[in-house]
Structures are given as C-alpha cells and as structure tokens.
Amino acid sequence: MAKKVSLKDIAVKVGVSTALVSYVLNGKEKEKRVGAELVKKIKKVANDLNYTPNQIARSLRKGNTKTLGLIVADIANPFFGTMARVVEDEANRFGYTLVIGSSDEDSHKLGKLIDTLCNRQVDGFIIVPPEGSEGHIEGLLRRDVPLVLADRYFVGLESNYVVLDNYKATYEATSLLLNKGYKRIGIVAQDSELIHMSERVRGYSEAMKGNGLEKELCIKKLKFSELKLKMPEIVQDLTSGDSPLEALIFATNSLSLGGLYSIKETELNVPNDLAIIGFDGNEAFDFFYAPLTYISQPIAKMAKESVRILINQIEQGNNKTENKKLKHSLIIQDSC
Amino acid sequence: MAKKVSLKDIAVKVGVSTALVSYVLNGKEKEKRVGAELVKKIKKVANDLNYTPNQIARSLRKGNTKTLGLIVADIANPFFGTMARVVEDEANRFGYTLVIGSSDEDSHKLGKLIDTLCNRQVDGFIIVPPEGSEGHIEGLLRRDVPLVLADRYFVGLESNYVVLDNYKATYEATSLLLNKGYKRIGIVAQDSELIHMSERVRGYSEAMKGNGLEKELCIKKLKFSELKLKMPEIVQDLTSGDSPLEALIFATNSLSLGGLYSIKETELNVPNDLAIIGFDGNEAFDFFYAPLTYISQPIAKMAKESVRILINQIEQGNNKTENKKLKHSLIIQDSC
DNA sequence: ATTGTTTGGTTAATCGTTTAAGCATAGTTT
DNA sequence: AAACTATGCTTAAACGATTAACCAAACAAT
C-alpha cells in the first residue's frame, strides 16, 4: 500500500507549518486569519497532491470516528438488509460511515460485537437486541454510549427505541379476519420473551377477547431452530381434528414462509379451508397460489428515525430518550 | 461517552511505564524479559479495569486497521446480503472487522465509497464492481491496495477475482433445455458490458450454435431501470407471433423475478407453453405454480474464497494475483 | 580488576491531525 | 513615544498504542 499524502507533505511543499494547512483545509482561514495568498496556495497544493485527511489520526485526536455501528440479527435476512441499506444511506447523508454486524440473535455474540465496535470507537449504535441482552444494552447506557434500539426494546430500560406498533398490527390483522367472519383463528409466533413478539401475541389475544372468543385462543410458539422441523406438524395439527382452525396468523416473516412451505404440501385450500395472514413482505408471498395478505412494516421509516435520533444524541448530547412506535400497513391480497 | 481505560491508567496503577504494559498485554513478556511478578500484576490490573486496547490509536501507530471494506451493489439484495454475511463471519474469524457499502451499480458512488474507506484506512477491499469502474479499480491496483473483485471482473485488469463460471452456467442451462427438446430458446439479460453478463449470454449462444441453432438466437437486453416497465411487453412479444419461444432463460435474479410477475399475468402455462430457467435462488421461485428450475451460485464459497485471497495478500504481501471461477449448480424443478 | 552478559526495566520517538498558546511585525491609539 | 491591537504565522502538546534504543544493576568470565 503506497503511503498517503499527509498534512505534512503539503506543509513542506508550501513552506508553512502543518497547523496552518490544517486550519485552511478545515475552513478556519477566517477565524485564524490566514493570509489570502497562502490560502490559495495551500488549497491548490492540497488539490494537486490529491490530499484527503487520514480519518484514523483525526479520530484519535478528536475522539470521534464519524462512524455508526449497526447490529442486526442477520444481514442476510432481507428485512435487516433493507434496514441496513437505509441506515447506510442516512448515515452517509450526515457524513457518517456505517459498520454492520450480525448477532445471530445470540446475546453473547452481541457482546463481542459491541466490544469490537467500541474499541473501534464508533460514535453510536443502532441495535436490534436479541433475547437476554438487557445486560449488554444496560452496560452501554451506563457508559453513556449513544444508542437506539430498533425493531424491539426492553420494557425496563430507559433507552431510545424505534419499533413497530406490534400490538396494533396483529390486533388489526385479527380484526380483519373476525370481520370476514372467521372465528377459529390461531397465531403461530416465535418462542421468545422479546417485547415485539409478546405484543404481537397480545394484539391477537385482545382482538379475540374483544369479540368474546377468549375460549378459542390458539397460540403456538416455535423456537427458531424448530421451524423447519415442526412447522409441517403444527400446520397439520391445527387444521385437523374436530375443530380445525379457519384462519392462521404468522407472527414473523420466516414463520410465514415456513408456514407456506408446509401448507403447500397439504390438501388444504387457501383461503377456503384456511385463511392466512403473513408478516413482513416477501416476494414469495405474491407467488403463493393465493397471494398473501400480510402485515407490512415501514422499514425505511424505522431506519431513518433510528439514524435521526442517534445522530441527534451524538451531536447534541441530547439526553432525554426518544421512543417511536410506527404504524404497520395491511397489504390485502387473496389469502383471507 | 465515558472515557475508556488506557494503557496509561494501568501503567500508573501498577507503577510502571506504558511500554511494559504494552509488552505484557501483547504477549511479548518473554521476548522483552519482563519480571514474572509484574506480568501477573499487570495482567490482573488490566483485567480488573476491564482494559481493551483503543484500536484507533493502535491503527494509527501500526498503519493497519484490521478492517476490510466490502462494496456490493446493494446490501438490501439478498444475494449480496448473503455474501456480506459470509464475508463478515470469515473476516471476524481472521480477526478483522467488516465495513459494508452499497454502490447502487454506480461507478461514481463507488469512487466515493472507496475514498471514504481509504481515508478510514481499511486494509483491503472486496468489491463487486459496477459498469465503468475500471478506472477506480485500476487506481487502487496502482496504489497496491489489496483488492479482490467478486461476482465480476475486468478482462483488461490484472487483479484478484472470484466469480461464477458464468459461461458454463448458461451453457449447461441451455443444454438442459435443448436436451429436453426445446429449440426456440431465448435469453433475457441485463443490458451491461460487464463480463459476467456477456459470459452468460455467450454461454447461451455457444450452446445454441453447438446445436446448429444460430439462426434461432433470441437475446433481449434490459436496462435495470426498465425492468418493471418493459418486462411484461417483452414476455408478450417473445411468446406470441408466428414463432413464439418455447423456453426462456433469465440471466439474473431480478430478471427472473420480473419475468415471473409478468408471466403470472398471461395465459401462458409453464412449462407447457413456455419453459423457464431462472438465475440465483429465491424463495419466490419455489412458490411459482411451476416451481422454477434455476442456476444457483455458490455464494458462500465465493465469499470465503474472496476473504481468503484478500487476507492472504494483506498479510503475506502476496503479489501474484489469484483468479477463481466457481461452478454453479443446477436446481431442477418443474419449470422446464 | 576489567570486560562482558543477562536481567528488568525506562525513555522517547512515532503514526497524522487538531488546537491552544505564543510570538513577531506592522499599524493604530493616546 | 509608549502602549495597544491586529495580523499572520509557528510551536508544541495531545490523542493512545507501539517499539527501537538506551540504561542500570547484578552477576559471570577472563
């Protein structure tokens, strides 16, 4: 790697001190009363030599890196990929670079990522926190590290967060089914203590109870690892027997997808034998023989808000926390 | 942000120079003959204070950042998301952090990303180069910046690269169709000068010519921006008239998807009226009424090889370039 | 007794920027 | 003429870690 042009190179060439060059190149020529002649000369030489400041050195001196850290569950997941993309663009717009990490929903991995990024002195974090990671988040908060939680948050922690109004999302989805006359409605959710999931289940429950159907509640929880193994079985169970379900809500994108793969293998006809509502968009939803009705998240808005809040905290030192619950939209197609 | 523990804090607490602490914490206690007592004490204090080295300072001094830059077209695209994920894991495995950028297939944006990452002193790049970016890549090569091109490369440039054997991929896909008896076969490709695309077209052409069908060649090229607009029209054109196509190969994932959306709207029956072969996997392919036969890329392998080659060059200063053309696999389902 | 070696440390320069503080010289007040 | 003020630039410390070079004391060898 060829060595880069430094302030010193310019200084030597022009015959001044590095301080002066730094002032000029940082637009402090007025404030620091640099001679008009020299300003021109310095700018020209800087340009000729194709100078760009060494961010590492600058970071060390200034104590900031103009870098944000984004930690999602898995960047290969299109939901997080899309989110990352918007975060990247927004960060760039504000002059920040983005570093992305995947936690695999593993709080230990999250801890390692946080350490790494802290040592690299990122100025702040946007984190999609996995289960059991309150401790790590709390640690960051205690150290006053600028931080926004996205997609999920912890009830006990006073932190910034930007999430979907998950309760309302499933409440309305369930209501839609109820309005269409379905009564025996079930939900397949992730087996997780995380608030976004419990809110989704609660939205479903409350909607059912509101219709006097508390006895009909059917909630199945799956661990992530069991998805491929158990989904066919679950679909089978729920839709047979003496009171088979009439409708099913899937509480995540992967559950929806898993569900579709399973349903495809059965004799069931959607929506006649079974109505379904999915979560998050997915092109596959459109190609299912009965294109899926689904709850869509405003990913871009979530990402933008997160960045805005984060940068606000970094640059203004804003210390009161901001919370956002965004509204879903219901994409209505043919599956119910 | 609370200040972090530094080498000096430890040094002061133990009552030694920072040099000694640095030696011990970097495992040079033997080489530098540090007293056994002190070694213990320093390690203990470092541990108690929860010390972790400031990577920024270390980077400035050592001239490396243990950071890799990955520039893809769009991290929201699952193909690149998956690739990024594997690159991330591999980089981590070797003690590197990953910074990701999206070029949007825009060489100017690529240039800006390269500048940003260079100023942040990444140790090397993995780049999926957009059209017209030879100049930027050449610039990096001239400065001896460690670099691996992925997915595509430039014929004139002597650089590392890891790509799919695109020629073989479409050659075999076309052969499959020919063997099944289809004769009037077309290909819909991206309108691009990039080698991966021209190789895909060439694979198709050669296979057709090999069967004496050069007169039947039907190659449609679409600009990325025209995809949604023109695809329905193209599908319509190709499949009607007096010699409608019997089979169609889509040369990218988004073309495949766009094609499927269009075909869904027609009266055509796949594979009876029209056989299709797609590119890259996609869950949507599985839910099309005639699950798609497609050319699948070994993304993980591509990512791993890229990282291996890159780190090899960074750490060994290896200056002979490595090139890899990986083999596709043909996932055979019901669309042909 | 002189020289040499080992042991166990310290000093100080360095990476490239930023920035507070200082210091001439010229020009302006009183 | 003495005392300020402005102008225009330089010096040097600092950020935190690394590392070459040096130093002192203890001990051994000639």
Side-chain angles (χ1 to χ4, degrees):
Chain A
M1 277 243 245
K3 221 177 75 320
K4 274 191 43 176
V5 177
S6 75
L7 271 192
K8 199 172 175 186
D9 297 328
I10 301 177
V12 167
K13 192 146 189 176
V14 179
V16 294
S17 68
T18 61
L20 212 57
V21 180
S22 173
Y23 291 141
V24 170
L25 266 27
N26 286 300
K28 302 194 177 164
E29 51 210 61
K30 293 274 186 293
E31 180 188 343
K32 295 292 174 176
R33 306 164 312 216
V34 182
E37 292 280 283
L38 276 185
V39 171
K40 245 187 207 163
K41 211 164 166 185
I42 288 172
K43 282 186 175 169
K44 181 172 166 14
V45 172
N47 205 55
D48 289 354
L49 295 182
N50 227 313
Y51 171 79
T52 51
N54 181 326
Q55 282 294 343
I56 297 292
R58 175 178 275 177
S59 294
L60 180 59
R61 172 59 219 238
K62 307 235 294 183
N64 68 28
T65 52
K66 287 279 178 183
T67 301
L68 304 182
L70 170 68
I71 305 181
V72 297
D74 183 2
I75 188 67
N77 176 328
F79 176 79
F80 296 120
T82 305
M83 184 170 154
R85 180 54 206 277
V86 181
V87 169
E88 179 190 340
D89 288 349
E90 284 295 294
N92 288 168
R93 218 161 59 78
F94 288 103
Y96 285 75
T97 302
L98 185 65
V99 182
I100 303 173
S102 303
S103 74
D104 271 329
E105 300 282 8
D106 174 345
S107 87
H108 181 251
K109 257 193 185 173
L110 174 70
K112 281 179 45 176
L113 280 169
I114 289 177
D115 283 351
T116 310
L117 297 189
C118 277
N119 296 340
R120 283 182 157 71
Q121 310 283 114
V122 299
D123 295 339
F125 286 95
I126 295 175
I127 299 181
V128 176
E131 208 167 347
S133 63
E134 291 100 319
H136 291 122
I137 303 302
E138 218 179 333
L140 289 173
L141 291 173
R142 243 198 328 267
R143 286 189 290 158
D144 277 325
V145 178
L147 171 66
V148 176
L149 298 184
D151 192 41
R152 322 145 184 188
Y153 66 101
F154 294 109
V155 178
L157 292 184
E158 220 189 273
S159 73
N160 297 309
Y161 63 77
V162 181
V163 299
L164 183 73
D165 188 338
N166 287 290
Y167 172 78
K168 191 180 277 178
T170 45
Y171 188 96
E172 291 192 359
T174 309
S175 300
L176 173 69
L177 291 172
L178 289 167
N179 287 339
K180 293 209 168 188
Y182 299 101
K183 287 208 162 39
R184 291 197 302 282
I185 305 171
I187 188 168
V188 179
Q190 208 95 55
D191 186 6
S192 158
E193 300 295 310
L194 287 165
I195 186 79
H196 71 303
M197 200 47 59
S198 56
E199 284 290 281
R200 287 177 196 178
V201 172
R202 194 170 68 87
Y204 155 80
S205 300
E206 298 285 319
M208 293 292 277
K209 287 179 190 163
N211 271 43
L213 292 171
E214 49 268 73
K215 286 189 184 154
E216 297 284 355
L217 283 183
C218 173
I219 303 169
K220 281 285 169 189
K221 296 194 176 177
L222 246 83
K223 291 199 205 314
F224 189 77
S225 56
E226 304 173 332
L227 203 159
K228 289 209 169 138
L229 199 65
K230 293 216 171 162
M231 183 59 94
E233 190 182 322
I234 285 184
V235 167
Q236 184 60 38
D237 280 6
L238 297 181
T239 55
S240 56
D242 18 309
S243 65
L245 289 181
E246 298 165 345
L248 203 43
I249 298 174
F250 293 102
T252 75
N253 194 37
S254 38
L255 288 173
S256 310
L257 216 45
L260 290 188
Y261 273 109
S262 297
I263 291 166
K264 199 166 70 127
E265 301 305 321
T266 68
E267 299 285 298
L268 292 170
N269 178 275
V270 175
N272 296 335
D273 303 327
L274 180 71
I276 27 183
I277 292 187
F279 218 104
D280 295 349
N282 190 316
E283 278 133 354
F285 291 1
D286 296 338
F287 286 103
F288 189 69
Y289 63 86
L292 234 60
T293 291
Y294 60 92
I295 295 163
S296 166
Q297 300 201 49
I299 307 185
K301 192 168 183 188
M302 192 150 106
K304 281 185 191 171
E305 278 296 297
S306 301
V307 175
R308 187 189 58 71
I309 294 175
L310 182 58
I311 290 186
N312 204 34
Q313 195 189 337
I314 291 172
E315 298 188 346
Q316 319 294 325
N318 204 334
N319 57 348
K320 60 173 188 296
T321 59
E322 280 193 60
N323 301 328
K324 294 263 171 188
K325 289 201 180 186
L326 306 178
K327 179 128 179 31
H328 69 286
S329 45
L330 215 43
I331 307 298
I332 298 190
Q333 298 195 97
D334 310 336
S335 69
C336 72
Chain B
M1 277 244 245
K3 221 177 78 307
K4 274 192 41 176
V5 177
S6 75
L7 268 193
K8 199 174 176 184
D9 297 327
I10 301 178
V12 168
K13 192 144 188 177
V14 178
V16 295
S17 68
T18 61
L20 213 56
V21 180
S22 173
Y23 290 141
V24 171
L25 266 29
N26 285 301
K28 301 192 177 165
E29 51 210 60
K30 293 275 184 293
E31 181 187 341
K32 295 292 173 177
R33 305 164 312 214
V34 183
E37 291 280 283
L38 277 183
V39 171
K40 245 187 207 163
K41 210 163 168 187
I42 289 172
K43 282 185 175 169
K44 180 171 168 19
V45 172
N47 206 53
D48 289 353
L49 295 182
N50 226 314
Y51 171 79
T52 51
N54 181 325
Q55 282 294 342
I56 298 292
R58 176 180 273 177
S59 294
L60 179 59
R61 171 61 220 241
K62 305 234 295 183
N64 68 30
T65 52
K66 286 281 178 181
T67 301
L68 304 182
L70 170 68
I71 304 181
V72 297
D74 182 3
I75 188 67
N77 176 328
F79 176 79
F80 295 120
T82 305
M83 184 171 153
R85 179 55 207 277
V86 180
V87 170
E88 180 191 340
D89 289 349
E90 285 294 294
N92 289 169
R93 218 162 58 79
F94 288 103
Y96 286 75
T97 302
L98 185 66
V99 181
I100 304 173
S102 302
S103 75
D104 271 330
E105 299 283 8
D106 173 346
S107 87
H108 181 251
K109 257 195 186 172
L110 174 71
K112 282 181 44 179
L113 279 169
I114 289 177
D115 283 350
T116 309
L117 297 189
C118 277
N119 295 340
R120 283 183 157 70
Q121 311 282 117
V122 299
D123 295 339
F125 286 94
I126 295 174
I127 299 181
V128 176
E131 206 166 348
S133 63
E134 289 100 320
H136 290 122
I137 303 302
E138 218 179 332
L140 289 173
L141 291 173
R142 242 197 327 267
R143 287 189 289 157
D144 277 325
V145 178
L147 170 66
V148 177
L149 299 183
D151 192 41
R152 321 143 185 189
Y153 65 101
F154 295 110
V155 177
L157 292 184
E158 218 189 275
S159 72
N160 298 310
Y161 63 77
V162 180
V163 300
L164 183 73
D165 187 337
N166 287 290
Y167 172 79
K168 191 181 279 178
T170 46
Y171 188 96
E172 291 193 358
T174 309
S175 299
L176 174 69
L177 291 171
L178 290 167
N179 287 340
K180 293 209 169 190
Y182 299 101
K183 288 208 161 39
R184 292 197 301 282
I185 305 171
I187 187 168
V188 180
Q190 208 95 56
D191 185 5
S192 158
E193 299 296 311
L194 286 165
I195 186 80
H196 71 304
M197 199 49 58
S198 57
E199 283 291 279
R200 288 177 196 178
V201 173
R202 194 171 67 87
Y204 155 81
S205 301
E206 298 286 320
M208 293 291 277
K209 288 178 191 163
N211 272 43
L213 292 171
E214 49 267 75
K215 285 187 184 156
E216 297 284 354
L217 282 184
C218 173
I219 301 169
K220 282 283 170 187
K221 295 194 177 178
L222 247 82
K223 290 198 206 313
F224 190 75
S225 55
E226 304 173 332
L227 203 160
K228 289 207 170 138
L229 199 66
K230 293 217 171 159
M231 184 59 93
E233 191 182 321
I234 285 184
V235 167
Q236 183 59 38
D237 281 7
L238 297 182
T239 55
S240 56
D242 19 307
S243 65
L245 289 182
E246 299 165 344
L248 203 43
I249 297 174
F250 293 103
T252 75
N253 193 38
S254 40
L255 289 173
S256 310
L257 217 44
L260 290 189
Y261 274 109
S262 298
I263 291 167
K264 197 165 72 128
E265 301 306 319
T266 69
E267 298 287 298
L268 293 169
N269 178 276
V270 175
N272 295 335
D273 303 327
L274 181 71
I276 28 183
I277 291 186
F279 219 104
D280 294 346
N282 189 316
E283 278 134 354
F285 291 2
D286 296 337
F287 286 102
F288 189 70
Y289 64 84
L292 234 62
T293 290
Y294 60 91
I295 294 162
S296 166
Q297 300 202 46
I299 306 185
K301 191 167 182 188
M302 193 150 103
K304 281 185 191 171
E305 278 296 297
S306 300
V307 174
R308 187 189 60 71
I309 294 174
L310 182 58
I311 291 185
N312 203 33
Q313 195 188 337
I314 291 172
E315 298 188 346
Q316 319 294 326
N318 204 336
N319 57 349
K320 62 173 186 298
T321 60
E322 281 193 60
N323 301 328
K324 294 265 171 185
K325 291 201 179 184
L326 306 179
K327 181 126 178 31
H328 69 286
S329 46
L330 216 42
I331 308 297
I332 299 190
Q333 298 195 95
D334 311 338
S335 69
C336 73

